[in-house]
Amino acid sequence: MDIEARMERDDDDYTKDGTVDIYKKPANKKKTGTWKACPFILGDEGCERLAYYGMSTNLVNYIQQKLNLSNAASSRSVTNWQGTCYVTPLLGAFLADAYLGRYWTIATFSTLYIIGIAFLTMSASIGGLKPACDNGSCHPTGSQKTAFFVAIYLIAFGTGGIKPCVSSFGADQFDDNDETEKKSKSSFFNWFYLSINVGALIASSVLVWIQMNVGWGWGFGVPAVAMAIALVFFFSGTRLYRLQPPGGSPLTRILQVFVASIRKCNVKPPRDESLLYETSDVESNIKGSRKLEHSEEFRFFDKAAVETGSDKVNGSVNPWKLCTVTQVEEVKSIIRLLPVWATGIVFSCVYSQMSTMFVLQGNIMDQHIGPNFTIPSACLSIFDTLSVIFWAPIYDLVIIPLARKFTGHERGFTQLQRMGIGLVISIFAMVAAGVLEVIRLDYVRRNNYYDLTTIPMSIFWQVPQYFLIGCAEVFTFIGQLEFFYDQAPDAMRSLCSALCLTTTALGNYLSSLIVTIVINVTTRNGKLGWIPDNLNRGHLDYFYWLLAILSFINFFVYLWIAKWYTYKKVSGKPALTR
């Protein structure tokens, strides 16, 4: 009995979610993970985000001023690049889930990121690579433009291995099978997003000021140093980390379910779900994954788990003919996530305006603070960051306990409710931006300020629209991070985090598409259109109203989808070798 008790006690010292330490041994709960590992991950994320936002926040002005592109072309260049930054995570996530694991994926792609940002710094500071300028006008050559775009797209691929993995890697430090650790995981996502915005705060204030007043070489050089510091932070915590082993190609498992289901399209699934094929062990046959319980939706895919006489060859199961219930439920989980994912695209389109249209709107407003100091228009994103820094801990420490009293839910709101609240707030952000532009254009008309490059109207009137977007982020973006991690199958968490991030990519692409359509439609017959180079003669307010209407429609679509959504159910233990 003493031996059994000792074995049980020893087993309690290790995680039960399949994680291992850096030496590939079962992760000891006392020596690895939880909040003792998180400072290194949060420090890494804060510095990496400082580097990213320090480069991207003011990028539209660099492209406009140094590469000599128009307002619309500069805006499209930024949104297309940002979109790529949020598509490449699909590649990074696939490599992490299938082969490398999250730790080694972050380490590998961070190196590529540093090369890209170093090259960007050189393109803005070394003679021959940086455009020649005189009398306030720059004359970039084709090779100089090429060098710039090669640098930023190297960064886009580098960030592709970091974005989908860091939040999931941080969440991996908390064991879902330990109730105390599981509760801490929800708080981790709030503090993770807070670390992002601490980095963004420095980027949108200090670094933007350096770029506009000291020079772009220093403005891009500091982010390069920050990225190097991020890598130091990350490696410093190596011995404390819990690592989730890669479970094999998730795309292969998904494809196997589709192929097996189509092969058995004439087979009728049994009413008794216990007759469907599943391993007899408590553990799943997918490394690092727990078993998933059968769900009633998408019954067509259940055909893949119906066992027939030809499914086994010499006693071995052919995975292209017969799949486990867990494997089928992985596919169902992804399908259930897709409608929720799609509703995040319009929200991300609204969010992308902070680095494009909000900046261009602020460029023609009075940027003075006192008689001698001016604030670059891109610096106003600091109020979005301050909003997040204010609301993230308030949500965790105040809103959740208050909401819990009324809803009875342990997190105050369900993840879907939290995201819905953010969608509503984003509508008000666009309304605030539209109202300001109406007032600004009316001021221009009344005073005949059409040809002024700076309107005597304080840029700080933009603060409400930035602050509202920051509030919306705390509800929607953090809710998405937690939702996609929780609802993802265990062995597909990086992939689902990347899927979450692609809403930002598609939101940026959607913004570019809308801008292109608006320009083509509103400039017919020689008209200036809604977004001319001289915004005093345009109608940027109409563009904001359009986004507000799209956001309103998107919210009601989201309500219908959220009502329909079914949360996943897990059982058993993950497959691992001890």
Side-chain angles (χ1 to χ4, degrees):
M1 186 67 181
D2 290 339
I3 295 175
E4 291 179 3
R6 193 183 309 117
M7 289 176 64
E8 184 177 348
R9 186 170 62 251
D10 290 343
D11 191 57
D12 287 341
D13 288 341
Y14 295 93
T15 59
K16 296 180 176 64
D17 59 356
T19 51
V20 298
D21 60 22
I22 191 64
Y23 305 108
K24 297 184 179 180
K25 296 179 180 179
N28 188 301
K29 294 176 71 172
K30 295 178 181 179
K31 297 179 180 179
T32 63
T34 64
W35 289 110
K36 58 181 170 288
C38 288
F40 300 98
I41 298 170
L42 297 176
D44 168 69
E45 182 66 8
C47 289
E48 188 274 325
R49 291 290 85 186
L50 187 153
Y52 176 81
Y53 288 115
M55 176 194 58
S56 66
T57 300
N58 206 25
L59 200 60
V60 68
N61 278 330
Y62 181 86
I63 293 173
Q64 184 188 48
Q65 295 169 13
K66 300 298 182 180
L67 302 187
N68 207 20
L69 299 184
S70 67
N71 279 344
S74 299
S75 173
R76 283 197 299 266
S77 295
V78 172
T79 51
N80 287 338
W81 172 74
Q82 288 179 331
T84 305
C85 287
Y86 286 91
V87 164
T88 52
L90 289 172
L91 172 63
F94 172 78
L95 292 174
D97 282 341
Y99 305 111
L100 299 177
R102 286 185 264 278
Y103 176 86
W104 290 110
T105 302
I106 294 169
T108 303
F109 279 77
S110 291
T111 304
L112 182 61
Y113 194 128
I114 290 175
I115 293 171
I117 202 165
F119 191 31
L120 177 65
T121 304
M122 290 189 288
S123 75
S125 56
I126 296 178
L129 285 177
K130 71 174 182 178
C133 302
D134 56 70
N135 299 321
S137 177
C138 294
H139 315 284
T141 64
S143 59
Q144 288 168 343
K145 288 183 179 180
T146 299
F148 168 79
F149 283 107
V150 166
I152 64 172
Y153 277 92
L154 270 176
I155 294 167
F157 277 93
T159 196
I162 300 172
K163 284 181 183 294
C165 295
V166 177
S167 62
S168 296
F169 186 64
D172 288 344
Q173 309 309 310
F174 302 92
D175 187 352
D176 270 340
N177 297 285
D178 184 307
E179 286 302 317
T180 303
E181 291 191 15
K182 187 177 180 181
K183 290 178 182 177
S184 296
K185 184 182 292 186
S186 182
S187 293
F188 166 77
F189 285 107
N190 287 322
W191 293 105
F192 176 80
Y193 207 77
L194 182 63
S195 72
I196 291 175
N197 283 274
V198 169
L201 175 65
I202 300 171
S204 57
S205 54
V206 177
L207 291 185
V208 170
W209 186 88
I210 290 174
Q211 289 163 357
M212 301 302 287
N213 294 277
V214 178
W216 290 98
W218 281 99
F220 290 146
V222 174
V225 173
M227 189 58 215
I229 295 172
L231 202 56
V232 171
F233 260 114
F234 180 72
F235 283 126
S236 295
T238 296
R239 297 186 63 172
L240 296 174
Y241 294 149
R242 296 175 184 174
L243 282 60
Q244 189 70 253
S249 172
L251 299 183
T252 300
R253 294 199 303 276
I254 291 171
L255 189 58
Q256 285 171 342
V257 172
F258 274 89
V259 170
S261 300
I262 293 170
R263 278 180 165 176
K264 297 177 180 177
C265 60
N266 296 321
V267 174
K268 187 176 181 180
R271 291 185 176 273
D272 184 357
E273 63 188 55
S274 66
L275 298 177
L276 296 173
Y277 175 71
E278 182 57 277
T279 57
S280 57
D281 298 332
V282 175
E283 298 177 350
S284 165
N285 66 343
I286 302 168
K287 190 175 180 181
S289 177
R290 293 167 293 178
K291 285 184 177 180
L292 294 172
E293 294 182 8
H294 177 265
S295 61
E296 294 298 323
E297 296 93 351
F298 313 115
R299 294 278 292 175
F300 172 80
F301 295 107
D302 288 345
K303 297 174 185 288
V306 176
E307 190 171 353
T308 62
S310 62
D311 291 339
K312 293 183 178 180
V313 179
N314 297 325
S316 298
V317 173
N318 183 341
W320 294 95
K321 291 183 177 181
L322 181 63
C323 305
T324 64
V325 169
T326 295
Q327 195 173 338
V328 170
E329 289 301 318
E330 281 188 329
V331 173
K332 290 184 181 181
S333 294
I334 299 297
I335 294 174
R336 280 195 292 266
L337 285 172
L338 288 178
V340 179
W341 164 83
T343 58
I345 296 172
V346 173
F347 178 84
S348 294
C349 179
V350 168
Y351 177 77
S352 72
Q353 303 314 309
M354 283 197 304
S355 58
T356 53
M357 293 306 171
F358 284 12
V359 175
L360 297 175
Q361 183 185 36
N363 282 345
I364 53 175
M365 299 179 74
D366 184 6
Q367 300 169 16
H368 282 89
I369 303 176
N372 301 315
F373 187 80
T374 59
I375 178 172
S377 58
C379 272
L380 251 69
S381 63
I382 192 175
F383 290 100
D384 163 76
T385 305
L386 289 172
S387 179
V388 173
I389 290 173
F390 173 78
W391 284 110
I394 290 295
Y395 184 88
D396 198 42
L397 302 174
V398 179
I399 295 177
I400 288 179
L402 285 176
R404 190 182 291 134
K405 293 179 180 179
F406 293 97
T407 65
H409 193 275
E410 64 176 359
R411 295 173 180 172
F413 299 107
T414 66
Q415 295 154 350
L416 289 170
Q417 288 170 340
R418 179 175 185 171
M419 289 187 284
I421 293 169
L423 294 181
V424 172
I425 297 171
S426 71
I427 298 172
F428 287 106
M430 283 296 96
V431 170
V435 168
L436 173 62
E437 187 64 7
V438 168
I439 295 171
R440 194 191 68 79
L441 289 175
D442 182 62
Y443 189 60
V444 168
R445 282 191 293 269
R446 284 189 287 109
N447 295 278
N448 196 28
Y449 286 155
Y450 290 103
D451 295 318
L452 286 185
T453 55
T454 301
I455 304 303
M457 183 176 180
S458 176
I459 193 174
F460 289 100
W461 286 108
Q462 284 190 306
V463 169
Q465 62 206 54
Y466 281 101
F467 194 81
L468 284 169
I469 285 186
C471 183
E473 282 182 68
V474 170
F475 283 90
T476 298
F477 276 158
I478 300 178
Q480 281 181 343
L481 282 174
E482 187 177 354
F483 177 76
F484 277 80
Y485 182 88
D486 276 359
Q487 295 305 303
D490 292 343
M492 293 186 179
R493 279 175 166 162
S494 295
L495 184 65
C496 287
S497 291
L499 188 66
C500 173
L501 291 169
T502 56
T503 62
T504 304
L506 294 177
N508 279 280
Y509 293 145
L510 177 61
S511 179
S512 291
L513 177 63
I514 293 172
V515 169
T516 301
I517 293 172
V518 163
I519 289 173
N520 289 338
V521 171
T522 62
T523 57
R524 291 174 180 172
N525 302 319
K527 295 180 180 179
L528 289 173
W530 291 2
I531 316 173
D533 285 341
N534 182 355
L535 291 180
N536 293 332
R537 296 183 179 275
H539 265 294
L540 186 58
D541 54 329
Y542 292 174
F543 179 76
Y544 289 144
W545 298 137
L546 176 61
L547 291 184
I549 292 168
L550 288 175
S551 298
F552 185 77
I553 295 170
N554 183 63
F555 172 67
F556 279 96
V557 172
Y558 175 83
L559 286 181
W560 179 79
I561 291 170
K563 184 178 180 181
W564 167 84
Y565 187 81
T566 303
Y567 287 86
K568 77 171 187 181
K569 295 179 180 178
V570 299
S571 63
K573 297 188 297 183
L576 56 138
T577 302
R578 287 201 174 174

